[in-house]
Amino acid sequence: MERVLTALMDLVVPPASMVMLAFAWPTLAFLRALEWAVKALTKEDMRGKVVLVTGASSAIGEQVAYEYARRGANLVLVARREHRLFAVRENARALGAGQVLVVAADVVREDDCGRLVADTISYFGQLDHLVNTVSLGHDFLFEEAGDTAAFPHLMDINFWGNVYPTYAALPYLRQSHGRVVVNASVDTWLPMPRMSLYSAAKAAVVDFYETLRYEVKDEVGITVATHGWIGGEPGVGTGIGTSRFALEEGAGAADQTQAQAQAPAQQWTKADTTPPLPAPGGLAVEEYARAVVDGACRGDARVRRPGWYDVFHVFRAFAPDVLGWTFRLLLSTAPAPSTVAGTGRRALVVAPVGAPTAALPAPPVRPLIEYPAAVAGRRPAAAQLHKLE
C-alpha cells in the first residue's frame, strides 16, 4: 500500500504543483512587489552603525565596503593583505565612512576570527552587520586535478571562512539585532563543470545559513547573496579566464606559503591570467555590491544577481537532463587543458573569485593601538589592528 501511495504521489504532485504555481504566480508577484516597496520605505539607516567586512582588500569585498561607506557606516576592514586595506580605508573615508579599523587577519583560523570580533567590540562597543565575502574558485576537472593539496584549502576558505567569523560575531549580532550577509554563488544550485569542490563548498555555506536562519529566528537577520558572471570575469560558475595558483582573500597566509614551497613536487602551476570570455548577462562588481548592500539594508533574505539565473531553478527541478545536455555540449567544444609533463594529468589551477590577484607574502606584524590593561591581557601579542585617526 505504501509503495502504491508513493508511486501515486510521484505521478500527481509534480504536475499539480506546476498548475498551482501557474495560477498563484501573479498573486505571489504582486505580494512580493508590495513587500519590496514597504521594505524600501523602511530601509535600515546605516549611519553610525558598525559593519565588519571580510575579504575587504579587493573585488566584491572592497566594493561592498565602499557601498557601506556611502551610507555613513563605521567600518572594520579585514583581510590578509594589510597594505591593500590601507588604500581601501582612505577611499572609504572619502566616500563618507565614519571611523574605519583595519585588521590583518586570516578568517580560516578560528582564533583570528575571535580576535577580530573582539577588536571590533573593544573599539566600537557593538557590531551591526557582518559581511562575509571571502571566496576561492578553481578551474579543473576533479579527476584531472593531479594533486589534492588544494582541496582542503578550497573547503576551508569557502566554508569555514564564513562559519568562523559568524560563530565569533553571533552573540554581538544578537545584542544589536544585526545581520549576517553572505556572498554565495549560483553554483550552489546550478552545478557547473570544473567547479566541483567550489560548488560543494558554496552549497554547504547556503545550507548552513538557511538552517541558521531558523535557529536565530528574528534576533539576527541573514541575507544570502548569489551571483553569476561579474565584471566580465567568470569567477564563480565557469572557470574560464582565470589566473592560476592565486589565492583570494581569506586564504591562509601560512597555507599559501607552504603550497608555494612545495610547488615543484605537487605540480602547482603559475601562469598569466587567461583573457576572460564575454559574459552574457553579466554585471559589474560595483553593481552587484550595491545590490547586496541595498538588499541587506532592506532586510531581504536573499539577493540574486543577475535575476534571470532563477529560471535554471525550474530546469534543475523539472528538466535536469537539459542542463546535462548543455554541459556536455560545452565540454565537448572546450579546448584541451594543459597537462603536467610526464604525468598525463592536468596542471592544478586555482582561480580567485571576482578578480585575479597575485600571490603575496603574509602581512607584517605591526604594533597594536593602546587598550586598557584588562582588555589587552586577553589579546594575542601578535594581533594586528590599526585605528583610523
Side-chain angles (χ1 to χ4, degrees):
M1 181 62 184
E2 183 178 350
R3 291 183 179 180
V4 174
L5 181 60
T6 301
L8 182 62
M9 295 290 286
D10 288 341
L11 183 64
V12 173
V13 171
S17 299
M18 290 296 292
V19 172
M20 291 175 62
L21 284 175
F23 281 102
W25 187 261
T27 302
L28 293 175
F30 172 77
L31 293 176
R32 185 175 181 181
L34 185 62
E35 180 186 26
W36 183 91
V38 172
K39 287 182 176 180
L41 294 175
T42 59
K43 186 181 298 186
E44 182 178 6
D45 185 1
M46 297 305 301
R47 284 178 295 182
K49 294 194 174 181
V50 180
V51 180
L52 192 159
V53 183
T54 66
S57 67
S58 63
I60 294 173
E62 178 182 2
Q63 296 303 322
V64 165
Y66 293 157
E67 289 301 322
Y68 276 108
R70 291 185 177 96
R71 290 162 171 79
N74 298 314
L75 299 176
V76 181
L77 306 178
V78 180
R80 292 179 302 106
R81 296 182 294 173
E82 187 180 48
H83 67 283
R84 277 286 302 147
L85 289 178
F86 292 144
V88 176
R89 178 187 66 179
E90 296 307 317
N91 293 337
R93 286 192 66 188
L95 291 171
Q99 294 179 308
V100 183
L101 293 183
V102 168
V103 182
D106 186 349
V107 295
V108 302
R109 301 181 185 275
E110 185 178 1
D111 55 346
D112 273 21
C113 293
R115 170 175 60 83
L116 66 90
V117 172
D119 290 342
T120 301
I121 300 302
S122 297
Y123 186 72
F124 288 110
Q126 68 184 68
L127 176 60
D128 298 287
H129 281 201
L130 168 67
V131 186
N132 294 315
T133 70
V134 292
S135 288
L136 175 63
H138 63 80
D139 177 24
F140 59 82
L141 298 176
F142 178 73
E143 194 175 15
E144 297 177 349
D147 179 22
T148 62
F151 292 1
H153 303 316
L154 287 164
M155 299 302 292
D156 284 346
I157 295 164
N158 291 313
F159 183 71
W160 296 112
N162 288 272
V163 173
Y164 285 150
T166 302
Y167 182 78
L170 203 55
Y172 304 102
L173 292 172
R174 284 183 181 273
Q175 293 177 5
S176 64
H177 294 282
R179 177 166 295 274
V180 181
V181 184
V182 188
N183 177 44
S185 167
V186 295
D187 292 78
T188 59
W189 47 266
L190 180 61
M192 301 294 291
R194 307 185 196 278
M195 300 294 284
S196 54
L197 294 172
Y198 177 85
S199 298
K202 285 299 186 180
V205 165
V206 172
D207 285 347
F208 168 76
Y209 283 105
E210 292 296 345
T211 303
L212 185 63
R213 191 193 306 278
Y214 294 105
E215 294 183 4
V216 298
K217 300 178 181 178
D218 295 331
E219 296 182 46
V220 179
I222 294 178
T223 297
V224 177
T226 57
H227 64 80
W229 292 74
I230 287 188
E233 294 292 337
V236 194
T238 62
I240 303 171
T242 55
S243 62
R244 301 184 180 187
F245 191 50
L247 302 187
E248 177 61 278
E249 285 308 333
D255 296 336
Q256 180 176 346
T257 304
Q258 179 183 5
Q260 289 174 320
Q262 299 173 350
Q266 295 182 347
Q267 305 166 8
W268 290 97
T269 299
K270 279 188 179 181
D272 295 332
T273 301
T274 304
L277 297 180
L283 70 162
V285 178
E286 296 85 352
E287 183 182 349
Y288 174 68
R290 189 178 306 114
V292 170
V293 177
D294 281 343
C297 293
R298 283 194 305 267
D300 292 348
R302 298 165 192 86
V303 176
R304 298 189 181 99
R305 292 294 186 278
W308 64 268
Y309 278 91
D310 287 354
V311 71
F312 291 106
H313 279 290
V314 179
F315 283 97
R316 184 173 184 182
F318 297 99
D321 288 342
V322 173
L323 295 182
W325 297 332
T326 302
F327 292 152
R328 290 189 185 96
L329 178 62
L330 292 175
L331 287 175
S332 66
T333 58
S338 59
T339 59
V340 178
T343 66
R345 284 183 174 269
R346 188 182 176 191
L348 184 58
V349 178
V350 180
V353 174
T357 58
L360 295 172
V365 176
R366 299 175 64 95
L368 291 169
I369 63 173
E370 294 298 325
Y371 282 87
V375 176
R378 300 194 300 269
R379 297 167 50 80
Q384 299 159 284
L385 176 67
H386 302 272
K387 176 183 175 182
L388 174 62
E389 300 296 342

